[in-house]
Amino acid sequence: MDNNEKAEKTTGANKRKRRRKEIAPFGNYRNYYGYRIGQEFEEDPRLKVLKKEWFEGKDCLDIGCNNGLITIAIAINTHIPIVYARMLLNLGRVKSFSCGVLIDDLLKGISTFCAFACATVHELKTKKFHCQSILGIDIDPNRIEDAHWNLRNILRKENADNMCSNTSNIDVVEKANALHDCASASSNKQTHAISRDSSIRKENDLSDMVYFQQENFVQSLRPLQDKSYHTIICLSVTKWIHLNWGDDGLITLFVKIWKLLHPGGHLVLEPQPWTSYAKNRLVSERTAANYSEIIHFPNSFQEILLDKIGFRKVEILTSSLSGSKTGFNRPILAFQK
């Protein structure tokens, strides 16, 4: 191999290395959630500290949504009827639900099922947020494109699950009809009541609840869909706004959030610690310049939001988040307007 070939090979290797090193001056990493969350966890651990009453039936805003996974997770509803259908099918395989069962045993089995189903459904519901609507915004159009892609994939999966549940419901009806043929009229009334309670109710389509929009929240002059919000989440975003637009940009962020919130609404904030600023201060000339001029450090954000912006109170949801990789176990605060 001559010197020219070696030089070309070295140049190609260097280009590939540069391509692998992702530059994200706004924290707009493509695979942010992939390396933030521990592989042993199925969902973002931050979801566990959020309170359902802040989101249920509410209009919400996610600032710095990245690829939209948190945004979509807050919008997803538990398909309770599918849970009922699956448990009914499992119980249909139990011997006590055969046609030869006595009526008393049948009713006792139905009663046990109802108690178990209600407890299970309650447990599942407490883990879901059921928001009315949620808008995710991000400065990077590529991340918004990723968010739309993720939403389409989840919608396809949801449609496939619904098709499976419809098949399951047909099986449930057939089992109910079999019970009808071998049980008394009184037990039939009980069974049909259970069937009605377990019927599929239409859930809001995710496409009617979740929206994504490319937006520079700090510098934009246009209103976000000309509405107010009950809950605004801003997770691991303050550092990037602070580095790119300085103290003025940070205060603008807080003031805009306060104005967009309904009275009594909540801001869920996850600020990065000051130590993490130093690691990213050199991503651009602007961030390097702003870093040296910052006087409002993260440990003063709580005081700023309460005493200067006008939030009434703050709740510390967690001082250290379990389930996140090293460097991401940050405090999460909830401020009420």
Side-chain angles (χ1 to χ4, degrees):
M1 182 182 295
D2 58 27
N3 291 335
N4 289 336
E5 289 178 340
K6 289 181 180 180
E8 289 177 2
K9 186 174 182 180
T10 301
T11 301
N14 289 336
K15 286 182 179 179
R16 287 192 296 272
K17 186 176 181 180
R18 282 198 298 270
R19 281 199 298 267
R20 285 197 297 268
K21 186 177 181 180
E22 184 180 13
I23 299 175
F26 305 107
N28 49 322
Y29 300 102
R30 182 173 185 179
N31 295 315
Y32 175 73
Y33 292 114
Y35 64 77
R36 163 160 189 151
I37 304 170
Q39 292 183 355
E40 69 274 19
F41 292 89
E42 295 182 357
E43 67 175 8
D44 195 307
R46 292 175 292 184
L47 292 171
K48 297 177 182 178
V49 302
L50 302 180
K51 294 186 178 181
K52 183 178 179 181
E53 57 264 30
W54 297 340
F55 301 93
E56 187 172 22
K58 304 293 198 307
D59 294 315
C60 308
L61 174 65
D62 182 4
I63 299 172
C65 66
N66 198 270
N67 64 11
L69 292 180
I70 285 281
T71 318
I72 297 169
I74 289 174
I76 288 177
N77 288 329
T78 303
H79 292 284
I80 296 175
I82 296 177
V83 177
Y84 272 98
R86 288 174 178 168
M87 284 192 287
L88 272 171
L89 284 171
N90 288 334
L91 260 82
R93 299 187 183 98
V94 177
K95 183 177 181 181
S96 63
F97 269 69
S98 66
C99 286
V101 74
L102 295 175
I103 297 302
D104 289 343
D105 292 336
L106 173 63
L107 296 179
K108 188 182 298 183
I110 291 175
S111 176
T112 302
F113 159 71
C114 288
F116 172 65
C118 290
T120 304
V121 167
H122 174 74
E123 180 183 353
L124 288 171
K125 286 180 70 177
T126 57
K127 296 180 182 178
K128 301 298 178 182
F129 300 106
H130 300 277
C131 70
Q132 176 69 27
S133 69
I134 186 165
L135 170 64
I137 63 171
D138 199 277
I139 194 172
D140 188 345
N142 292 320
R143 298 295 75 78
I144 293 298
E145 185 179 337
D146 292 342
H148 282 125
W149 186 88
N150 285 328
L151 180 60
R152 287 193 298 270
N153 274 341
I154 290 174
L155 283 170
R156 280 194 289 267
K157 182 180 183 301
E158 201 174 57
N159 290 334
D161 288 344
N162 286 339
M163 291 179 63
C164 292
S165 70
N166 289 338
T167 302
S168 298
N169 287 327
I170 293 173
D171 292 340
V172 170
V173 170
E174 290 177 351
K175 290 180 183 295
N177 289 337
L179 287 173
H180 178 276
D181 294 336
C182 68
S184 68
S186 60
S187 66
N188 287 336
K189 292 180 182 179
Q190 298 272 359
T191 304
H192 287 304
I194 294 294
S195 178
R196 285 194 299 271
D197 292 339
S198 304
S199 62
I200 293 295
R201 61 178 175 86
K202 183 177 178 60
E203 297 281 355
N204 289 334
D205 195 301
L206 274 179
S207 60
D208 297 327
M209 301 162 58
V210 184
Y211 308 89
F212 293 106
Q213 178 178 314
Q214 189 273 326
E215 192 78 61
N216 183 332
F217 184 78
V218 171
Q219 295 188 319
S220 176
L221 298 177
R222 62 179 178 175
L224 292 172
Q225 295 192 351
D226 194 25
K227 67 187 294 184
S228 297
Y229 299 90
H230 300 94
T231 300
I232 296 177
I233 63 175
C234 186
L235 306 177
S236 292
V237 172
T238 50
K239 174 179 71 176
W240 300 105
I241 290 177
H242 216 171
L243 285 174
N244 281 280
W245 291 281
D247 287 330
D248 289 343
L250 180 78
I251 299 301
T252 299
L253 168 72
F254 292 159
V255 170
K256 279 192 168 185
I257 288 174
W258 191 87
K259 290 181 176 179
L260 283 172
L261 277 173
H262 283 292
H266 288 85
L267 160 64
V268 180
L269 186 70
E270 182 190 33
Q272 296 100 318
W274 176 248
T275 53
S276 72
Y277 281 57
K279 300 174 183 177
N280 302 107
R281 71 187 188 279
L282 300 179
V283 294
S284 70
E285 292 182 3
R286 179 170 58 179
T287 57
N290 286 331
Y291 175 80
S292 63
E293 297 179 1
I294 288 174
I295 61 174
H296 296 312
F297 301 105
N299 59 5
S300 68
F301 289 178
Q302 183 171 322
E303 179 183 352
I304 292 171
L305 286 162
L306 293 174
D307 297 341
K308 296 182 179 180
I309 305 301
F311 283 90
R312 292 192 297 133
K313 60 181 180 180
V314 62
E315 179 181 355
I316 300 175
L317 302 181
T318 175
S319 58
S320 182
L321 193 66
S322 62
S324 292
K325 291 187 177 180
T326 303
F328 290 102
N329 53 340
R330 300 162 181 162
I332 299 180
L333 311 171
F335 296 86
Q336 185 175 21
K337 180 176 178 178

